[in-house]
Amino acid sequence: MAKDLYETLGVSKGASDDEIKKAYRKLAHKHHPDKAGGNTEKFKEINAAYQVLSDKEKRGQYDQYGQTFEQGQRGGGGQGFGGFDFSGFQQGGQGFGGDFGGGFEDIFSDIFGGASGGRQNSQKAGRDIQVDAEISFEEMVKGAHREVSLLRRVVCDQCRGSGGEPGTKEETCHTCKGSGQIKQTMRSFFGTFVQASTCSTCSGIGKTYAKKCHKCGGDGRVREQQKIAFDIPAGISNGQTISLQGQGEAGERGSSNGDLFVNIHVKPHNYFERKGDDILSTQHISFSQAVLGDKISVRTIDDKISIKIPSGTQSGETFRIKEQGIPQLGRNSIRGHQLVKIIVDVPKNLSRDQRKLLEELKKAGL
């Protein structure tokens, strides 16, 4: 296995589950041994990497321990390639054994048009949806509320997702005889196996209706424009994504809905900057204030605060205003600080009296 599993799949360490799955499918298609130009060893590496990165627990362990995790996965018999067990293959029409976490079957389904053995869930979950939301710097600190309008598939209210016209009789599918699958024996690089593809007549349900629903045409879903409201938590970072479970498109025939992913974009501020949970700002003071000291008013995200500038303050010094920063995400009671960088303005144009005073100070050694 490649030392870096993310590099094997060509994704970044912060890649989402969907990005990892898409990368896996693309590479598995390219390197599958039964396809022209396929590469067996590369195919094994890709599958082994996917088995780890597609599992939240294994991925977390890999991110934390790296190669130590990989060695631990090799501790069991037949667990080469980082825990991906090829010992479960059987020939002679016996299908596949072993646990492939669903990913391997998915790729066979994509390449050959059906499942790689055994009956899988023929109804597809709803599609995920991604949208973008822009918030101000102040909303990033304090939280915000947004509403988006989406055109998405929802369960048909006429047939309640069944696909049949209300009142019509439900019948056993004549094509698949109620199994929901059409099976055929195929030969591959790994031997002979049974390919089961979803029945196109009943879409894998095993049942049909004498008459399809007039509103959805038998799909069980219709497209509707809907508004979805959601809260953006205080302390969220630019580029972070909020996951709203079940707010994507409706699944087929009662399958689970997809999710809605909201990508957050924070608009830059003309006065404040963010560094972790701290807020950075700059404050200009005069030469005399720096030399003699003073009390000045400083703008914070909430209000204006008076701070003391001690005599002899140098340009570039930073003062900290406690707990005037950004709340920790999910812990609003804990806030960072505001760091104020002082800029001493040196006057360019002096009056005759001002110059005379400075010359006297110069003579005095100041």
Side-chain angles (χ1 to χ4, degrees):
M1 182 189 291
K3 291 185 177 180
D4 190 312
L5 302 187
Y6 293 99
E7 185 178 345
T8 299
L9 294 184
V11 297
S12 66
K13 190 172 182 180
S16 66
D17 293 343
D18 188 53
E19 289 171 335
I20 289 173
K21 187 173 184 178
K22 287 181 179 178
Y24 160 68
R25 287 175 178 272
K26 181 179 179 181
L27 291 172
H29 270 293
K30 179 179 178 181
H31 297 290
H32 193 278
D34 281 358
K35 298 181 76 72
N39 185 315
T40 303
E41 293 304 316
K42 188 69 176 176
F43 184 65
K44 290 178 180 179
E45 288 182 7
I46 293 165
N47 276 285
Y50 182 69
Q51 295 308 305
V52 175
L53 299 185
S54 63
D55 184 294
K56 290 184 178 180
E57 183 176 350
K58 289 181 181 179
R59 182 179 179 182
Q61 292 174 355
Y62 176 76
D63 289 343
Q64 184 173 4
Y65 300 110
Q67 294 307 303
T68 303
F69 164 78
E70 181 180 345
Q71 292 166 7
Q73 288 294 301
R74 288 176 176 169
Q79 295 296 322
F81 304 101
F84 188 77
D85 187 357
F86 283 89
S87 64
F89 285 113
Q90 297 179 3
Q91 298 185 4
Q94 295 301 314
F96 295 100
D99 179 10
F100 298 99
F104 202 78
E105 286 193 353
D106 286 347
I107 201 64
F108 267 85
S109 178
D110 286 347
I111 294 172
F112 300 114
S116 58
R119 180 166 182 169
Q120 65 178 27
N121 184 9
S122 55
Q123 284 74 57
K124 295 180 181 178
R127 185 175 64 90
D128 294 334
I129 301 174
Q130 289 196 37
V131 297
D132 296 299
E134 188 176 63
I135 61 174
S136 67
F137 192 93
E138 287 84 358
E139 288 176 320
M140 177 268 291
V141 176
K142 300 178 181 180
H145 184 79
R146 285 290 187 275
E147 186 177 83
V148 294
S149 181
L150 298 176
L151 179 63
R152 59 177 182 168
R153 284 190 179 94
V154 297
V155 175
C156 175
D157 59 3
Q158 183 69 24
C159 66
R160 298 185 179 180
S162 69
E165 184 69 18
T168 57
K169 184 180 179 182
E170 185 181 67
E171 303 171 342
T172 300
C173 176
H174 65 276
T175 302
C176 66
K177 311 303 181 185
S179 69
Q181 295 179 325
I182 304 298
K183 296 183 179 181
Q184 63 181 120
T185 301
M186 297 189 66
R187 295 182 180 273
S188 79
F189 174 82
F190 296 105
T192 303
F193 66 97
V194 176
Q195 175 199 356
S197 58
T198 301
C199 176
S200 59
T201 303
C202 65
S203 299
I205 303 299
K207 300 288 184 179
T208 58
Y209 288 87
K211 185 177 180 182
K212 293 182 179 180
C213 174
H214 71 276
K215 185 173 183 178
C216 66
D219 183 69
R221 300 171 297 177
V222 293
R223 290 186 178 274
E224 286 187 4
Q225 194 81 26
Q226 293 187 337
K227 291 184 177 181
I228 300 175
F230 57 92
D231 292 320
I232 300 173
I236 196 167
S237 299
N238 182 51
Q240 261 189 289
T241 299
I242 298 173
S243 174
L244 303 176
Q245 295 186 350
Q247 294 297 326
E249 291 198 332
E252 292 183 353
R253 310 292 173 86
S255 295
S256 60
N257 288 2
D259 299 329
L260 173 62
F261 295 97
V262 184
N263 302 316
I264 301 299
H265 303 278
V266 181
K267 292 188 290 186
H269 199 278
N270 58 7
Y271 184 74
F272 298 117
E273 291 183 25
R274 177 174 185 168
K275 184 178 181 181
D277 290 334
D278 294 331
I279 293 177
L280 309 181
S281 65
T282 57
Q283 185 73 33
H284 290 256
I285 63 173
S286 67
F287 179 76
S288 60
Q289 286 176 310
V291 173
L292 301 174
D294 198 1
K295 279 190 175 182
I296 62 172
S297 178
V298 174
R299 178 181 173 184
T300 71
I301 200 71
D302 296 320
D303 206 346
K304 287 188 175 182
I305 291 179
S306 178
I307 67 172
K308 183 179 180 180
I309 301 296
S311 59
T313 294
Q314 302 296 305
S315 187
E317 282 192 52
T318 299
F319 294 88
R320 183 177 68 173
I321 305 177
K322 293 183 178 180
E323 298 181 353
Q324 287 296 317
I326 299 166
Q328 289 186 11
L329 191 62
R331 304 175 68 184
N332 289 355
S333 60
I334 302 177
R335 293 181 65 171
H337 311 299
Q338 181 168 335
L339 306 178
V340 183
K341 183 178 180 180
I342 298 299
I343 304 296
V344 178
D345 293 329
V346 178
K348 294 182 178 180
N349 301 312
L350 299 174
S351 67
R352 182 178 298 178
D353 291 339
Q354 289 172 331
R355 181 176 291 277
K356 185 177 179 180
L357 287 172
L358 288 176
E359 287 175 350
E360 290 178 359
L361 290 173
K362 181 180 180 181
K363 290 178 182 179
L366 296 177

